[in-house]
Amino acid sequence: MTRDSQPRIGIALGSGASRGWSHIGVVKTLIDAGLEPDIVCGTSVGAMVGAAYLSGKLEKLEEWVLAANQLDVVKFFGVRLTGSGFVDTERFEHFLDQYVVADGQQIEKFAKPFATVATDVNNGREVWFTEGGALNAVRASMAMPGLFATVSHAGRWLVDGGLVNPVPVSVCHALGADFVIAVNLNAGILGKRERNRVHEEADGEPGILERVRRSAKEYSDSVFPSNRNDAPGTFDVVANSINIFQDRITRSRLAGDLPDIVIAPKLAHIGMLDFHRAEEAIREGEDRTKRVIDDIAGLARNTAR
């Protein structure tokens, strides 16, 4: 086949907070197999990994996440409860600029079509970013309510796209994909999270940890859970509620927006904010992709345009 006759491979990178590091393993495995995606669409953490891939910063992002520990994650969270989110917006935007996509990079300047999904908080409608600033598009797609500040764009207030379209298969189809690989991070997440995990102590800068604990005790307890059998705190209830509706929405959307291939890393044991567990998430993404790589190659051969 000539390049013009080859099918356009779309990849829909789904939402899933810390489980999203598995997207790195998925994308790397596809590249190694010569099945590099032609169209990239992402929601929430999927938007971040997709932007890093297209901006040439995927390896740099992987190096950071593999070296990160719990303290590195805590540093993103402000010690005051003012505003609409815990995450320090300025620090997070600096991280995105350094490790994901440069501030000022326009989506339409990427070598391949790219889109992110956010949610209009006033009416619940999907908002697709297919042009404009890539960093802002990623930040809007990741604006989990209560954790990140809402993002203002074109007269609308936007939050996490996972509320409406956790695995954006429909966006890939709309951008012209001939077949779509969906990466679903929400499979099996209900009722299976380990409650009694052993966490290493974070090293260095105890003052930061103390300030976070004092300002947002329930939040920090969720980052550093104890082994007590107490009733779940507010943050745990919110996190589990997010898991419930994302599971239900994902099932519904994938039934209506059928992908050709589904990659579903088994990461239910990784909590929503266990960002320091990147190595096992990436490895699981690689392993699950290798299991279906022959099927993807077959589709690439048989779906000529």
Side-chain angles (χ1 to χ4, degrees):
M1 290 187 296
T2 65
R3 181 60 198 166
D4 288 340
S5 67
Q6 289 179 354
R8 301 180 79 193
I9 303 172
I11 189 165
L13 301 173
S15 62
S18 59
R19 298 185 297 275
W21 297 143
S22 62
H23 289 317
I24 296 174
V26 172
V27 173
K28 286 176 55 183
T29 303
L30 291 173
I31 293 172
D32 290 344
L35 296 166
E36 204 164 334
D38 301 292
I39 294 169
V40 180
C41 300
T43 297
S44 198
V45 68
M48 179 170 67
V49 174
Y53 160 57
L54 291 178
S55 65
K57 294 190 176 187
L58 189 63
E59 183 175 344
K60 189 175 182 180
L61 177 63
E62 182 183 16
E63 290 175 356
W64 187 91
V65 303
L66 287 175
N69 56 37
Q70 290 176 323
L71 180 58
D72 294 318
V73 175
V74 169
K75 287 179 181 179
F76 283 102
F77 295 85
V79 298
R80 293 179 297 173
L81 301 182
T82 57
S84 59
F86 283 113
V87 171
D88 184 321
T89 299
E90 184 176 347
R91 185 184 293 273
F92 183 61
E93 287 185 345
H94 179 71
F95 169 80
L96 292 178
D97 176 65
Q98 293 296 307
Y99 295 98
V100 177
V101 59
D103 189 14
Q105 170 69 52
Q106 299 295 297
I107 292 174
E108 55 268 35
K109 297 297 184 180
F110 282 139
K112 301 176 181 181
F114 174 66
T116 75
V117 180
T119 304
D120 188 321
V121 75
N122 291 316
N123 56 32
R125 293 177 180 171
E126 289 183 45
V127 177
W128 296 1
F129 284 84
T130 58
E131 59 184 12
L135 189 149
N136 190 59
V138 170
R139 194 164 74 84
S141 187
M142 295 186 69
M144 184 181 295
L147 198 60
F148 292 82
T150 53
V151 175
S152 176
H153 176 76
R156 294 178 289 194
W157 288 103
L158 305 179
V159 293
D160 198 305
L163 299 176
V164 290
N165 197 350
V167 188
V169 174
S170 57
V171 189
C172 286
H173 284 141
L175 293 185
D178 294 303
F179 72 88
V180 177
I181 303 164
V183 186
N184 176 18
L185 305 180
N186 298 317
I189 60 174
L190 297 183
K192 294 185 179 180
R193 181 179 174 183
E194 295 175 0
R195 298 294 303 173
N196 296 318
R197 294 174 296 162
V198 177
H199 284 254
E200 69 276 12
E201 289 292 327
D203 296 324
E205 299 190 61
I208 292 176
L209 297 178
E210 277 304 309
R211 289 195 297 273
V212 172
R213 286 192 180 101
R214 290 172 184 175
S215 300
K217 187 176 185 302
E218 279 193 336
Y219 169 72
S220 60
D221 283 347
S222 73
V223 180
F224 301 101
S226 69
N227 289 327
R228 297 173 302 172
N229 291 318
D230 296 340
T234 301
F235 189 86
D236 277 334
V237 172
V238 171
N240 289 338
S241 298
I242 291 172
N243 284 341
I244 290 169
F245 74 68
Q246 287 220 333
D247 175 73
R248 298 295 185 262
I249 295 171
T250 300
R251 290 171 185 258
S252 176
R253 291 303 300 255
L254 289 181
D257 303 320
L258 288 173
D260 298 276
I261 297 285
V262 176
I263 299 172
K266 302 303 181 185
L267 299 167
H269 59 287
I270 295 182
M272 190 170 70
L273 296 178
D274 287 346
F275 289 102
H276 59 287
R277 302 178 70 177
E279 184 176 0
E280 59 187 297
I282 293 171
R283 185 170 59 248
E284 175 67 4
E286 293 173 346
D287 291 345
R288 291 287 163 177
T289 305
K290 288 175 182 176
R291 295 186 184 195
V292 296
I293 204 71
D294 290 340
D295 295 332
I296 298 172
L299 278 171
R301 289 192 299 268
N302 297 326
T303 314
R305 287 188 286 150

